[in-house]
Amino acid sequence: MLQSIEILSMVIKMQNIENLSPIIYLVLPCYNEEEIIQISVEVLESKVLSLINGNLINPASKIVFVNDGSTDKTLDILKKIKNEKIVIINLSANCGHQNALIAGLEYSLDKCDCVISLDCDLQDDVNLIDSMISRFRDGYEVIYGVRDDRSSDTFFKRFSAEGFYDIMKILGVNIIRNHADYRALSNRALRSLLSFREANLFLRGIVPLLGYKSCNLYYKRNIRVAGESKYPFFKMLSFALDGITSFSVQPLRMLSIIGATISLASLIFGIWALITYFMGKTISGWTSVVVPMYFLGGLQILGLGILGEYIGKIYKETKNRPRYFIDSIID
Ligand code: UDP
Ligand code: MG
């Protein structure tokens, strides 16, 4: 009798642990990743299973792969290795990394306690997930994966990324340095994030606006095991420009300041030119005409370009187009 009560209390205890352990959804956008997707699934699956076995996460936890309109065999491979732990969201076309991520996040809302987004090329160290979960269980709602080592990057990528963070800082945008899209969010934080309805959703800029209790976890970013980066120079540049113009109107303000400074300088220059004219020392020369002409011409075009960037943003926002279409969900 005593033994059966003990067994019963043990079962109840185990059930409690299970109930306490959070349901975690991992969300991974993937685009043309046929070379790595299989390894990625294996690594993530064994990570999730080990966390479940350790009672750290709930057995209802899942891995959500968002196929962002891949034109290679990514989807076929995913379908072949699909099991009950894996969900496949198949987008109707390539919508870009941020939109694919949002598709996965929207799917996960209210299905889990905590959602973790990461890239499927295994560059984000999956072992950080353990610490993310333990922080989540400690009550943190926004947990940033931050790279503390960029040695796996090319010199160019490192240089451009550092420059981007410096510009964002100068422009007064609150962005976590060296944090990309590897992060854990509580369901509440996720709901807040998804309430931003702007078309240009630059996630890493918006997440710090959410508030909630947050912390940084540091990791070393691995090199891509296979396949190649989907962010060549121009795509990266346009992503950075999007980030800057989505979060700061400082470039427009700087434009006004530069314009005002140059106008003042031209006024002084004009007065000086008049004085020298009346003094009979008329300036003749080509340089003094051509240099300001080119300079001001360049400045005007730059100004128009910056204005254009923002007008383009307004244009996109007013159209209010959907971010993605789902072709099928296999869960
Ligand atoms: N990705 C995507 N859609 C795209 C481009 C990229 O879903 O249009 C995914 C890609 O499969 C990867 C993640 O976004 O999982 C990050 O891309 P990538 O590794 O090429 O970027 P990098 O690490 O070089 O910045
Ligand atoms: Mg990558």
Side-chain angles (χ1 to χ4, degrees):
M1 178 68 183
L2 203 65
Q3 217 176 10
S4 61
I5 289 174
E6 255 171 28
I7 291 170
L8 196 70
S9 81
M10 243 170 70
V11 169
I12 291 170
K13 221 185 225 171
M14 273 172 70
Q15 266 176 351
N16 275 344
I17 290 172
E18 198 166 277
N19 288 340
L20 274 177
S21 56
I23 301 178
I24 306 290
Y25 271 33
L26 303 181
V27 174
L28 302 98
C30 23
Y31 174 58
N32 289 351
E33 300 284 7
E34 63 183 3
E35 281 134 317
I36 198 166
I37 196 74
Q38 177 132 13
I39 311 168
S40 187
V41 171
E42 283 163 14
V43 169
L44 287 158
E45 233 186 340
S46 77
K47 170 59 58 190
V48 166
L49 288 177
S50 80
L51 289 166
I52 291 174
N53 290 337
N55 275 324
L56 290 169
I57 65 172
N58 197 292
S61 299
K62 290 202 190 290
I63 312 169
V64 181
F65 288 95
V66 184
N67 175 41
D68 185 17
S70 299
T71 49
D72 65 359
K73 295 201 183 73
T74 305
L75 182 63
D76 299 334
I77 301 170
L78 277 173
K79 279 181 176 165
K80 216 178 276 170
I81 45 186
K82 153 100 183 84
N83 59 37
E84 81 284 353
K85 283 267 154 293
I86 296 173
V87 175
I88 306 168
I89 300 177
N90 185 30
L91 300 188
S92 63
N94 179 245
C95 305
H97 169 248
Q98 297 283 288
N99 290 326
L101 188 52
I102 292 163
L105 294 177
E106 282 181 345
Y107 171 84
S108 309
L109 182 67
D110 293 336
K111 291 189 179 72
C112 59
D113 301 303
C114 172
V115 66
I116 299 178
S117 54
L118 68 165
D119 289 353
C120 76
D121 54 8
L122 298 178
Q123 281 195 275
D124 298 328
D125 182 5
V126 294
N127 292 319
L128 200 74
I129 294 176
D130 302 61
S131 327
M132 282 182 163
I133 288 160
S134 102
R135 289 298 159 96
F136 173 72
R137 295 180 76 145
D138 290 343
Y140 288 92
E141 298 204 43
V142 180
I143 301 144
Y144 299 101
V146 180
R147 308 169 57 167
D148 59 358
D149 181 350
R150 279 193 171 266
S151 57
S152 63
D153 273 353
T154 58
F155 168 75
F156 175 71
K157 185 129 190 170
R158 214 174 324 168
F159 180 74
S160 52
E162 290 295 330
F164 170 70
Y165 290 115
D166 286 341
I167 292 173
M168 289 300 253
K169 198 170 172 200
I170 292 166
L171 297 179
V173 184
N174 177 17
I175 191 167
I176 311 280
R177 213 179 173 87
N178 288 328
H179 159 71
D181 283 303
Y182 191 15
R183 71 176 80 83
L185 294 172
S186 69
N187 192 53
R188 184 167 71 146
L190 178 62
R191 183 174 300 111
S192 308
L193 176 67
L194 296 177
S195 68
F196 285 79
R197 294 310 308 168
E198 54 208 78
N200 292 289
L201 203 53
F202 187 66
L203 291 171
R204 65 192 77 170
I206 288 181
V207 176
L209 301 179
L210 300 179
Y212 302 119
K213 199 173 164 193
S214 68
C215 65
N216 294 353
L217 288 175
Y218 295 88
Y219 72 103
K220 181 175 181 292
R221 192 158 153 102
N222 304 318
I223 49 164
R224 228 177 204 279
V225 185
E228 49 190 49
S229 171
K230 311 296 178 296
Y231 279 93
F233 175 68
F234 282 110
K235 217 169 153 190
M236 222 159 66
L237 188 70
S238 105
F239 187 56
L241 269 179
D242 258 352
I244 292 167
T245 50
S246 294
F247 276 89
S248 175
V249 286
Q250 284 294 341
L252 287 176
R253 194 158 307 149
M254 266 169 8
L255 199 67
S256 320
I257 294 169
I258 294 171
T261 314
I262 288 177
S263 307
L264 193 72
S266 315
L267 190 73
I268 296 167
F269 183 73
I271 294 170
W272 174 69
L274 273 178
I275 292 171
T276 48
Y277 174 77
F278 284 121
M279 284 169 73
K281 295 186 217 160
T282 324
I283 311 154
S284 62
W286 176 80
T287 330
S288 56
V289 176
V290 164
V291 171
M293 203 175 81
Y294 280 142
F295 179 63
L296 290 174
L299 204 72
Q300 277 166 2
I301 294 172
L302 175 71
L304 284 176
I306 295 178
L307 280 173
E309 279 288 326
Y310 284 95
I311 291 170
K313 285 256 141 75
I314 300 167
Y315 173 67
K316 271 193 183 165
E317 295 296 340
T318 49
K319 276 190 299 188
N320 202 11
R321 285 192 179 169
R323 296 183 182 120
Y324 59 85
F325 292 113
I326 293 176
D327 179 62
S328 54
I329 294 180
I330 312 168
D331 53 5

